Amino acid sequence: MAKQDYFYALGRRKSATARVRLMGGKGNITINGKTAAEYFSGSEYLLHELNKPFAVLEKEKQFDVSVVVAGGGPVGQAAAIRLGIAKSLVLVNEDYKSTLMRAD
């Protein structure tokens, strides 16, 4: 990682807004002070959606994510978080952009 402590990006989807901080770590995702599993309890699909950017780049378990999300419902929030994660990964390495865009 670069000189920064974290990489910040904003993700928006429908009426949900997610402020995402990406930092080196072990793959933990914290949303509004809770783990992702607690926040999206009972929805494996939404948890899978959050990890898509990491899976596409084969970077699982390399970054920790801290998110503050507001507005919208669970699906919109998950999509906003996913977009914020993807944008912050592009800040880490510009070469990731084409791979992430191809993977939608």
Side-chain angles (χ1 to χ4, degrees):
M1 298 216 16
K3 299 172 190 168
Q4 294 174 278
D5 290 335
Y6 63 87
F7 294 88
Y8 173 82
L10 184 70
R12 290 192 177 113
R13 173 75 175 117
K14 296 184 176 182
S15 60
T17 302
R19 294 175 294 180
V20 176
R21 286 185 180 183
L22 183 77
M23 56 217 108
K26 298 177 182 169
N28 299 320
I29 299 176
T30 306
I31 304 168
N32 292 350
K34 299 179 182 178
T35 66
E38 289 175 18
Y39 193 80
F40 291 119
S41 61
S43 179
E44 289 296 318
Y45 171 75
L46 294 178
L47 293 175
H48 176 72
E49 286 295 307
L50 295 182
N51 287 310
K52 267 189 179 177
F54 298 120
V56 166
L57 297 173
E58 298 176 359
K59 298 287 181 190
E60 298 102 330
K61 310 293 184 203
Q62 290 188 17
F63 297 100
D64 283 347
V65 181
S66 176
V67 181
V68 176
V69 66
V75 175
Q77 287 184 351
I81 293 168
R82 185 179 75 177
L83 179 60
I85 290 171
K87 285 182 171 181
S88 58
L89 283 167
V90 169
L91 294 175
V92 171
N93 186 343
E94 187 70 29
D95 297 335
Y96 295 160
K97 186 172 186 173
S98 63
T99 306
L100 288 168
M101 288 190 65
R102 277 194 310 268
D104 193 35

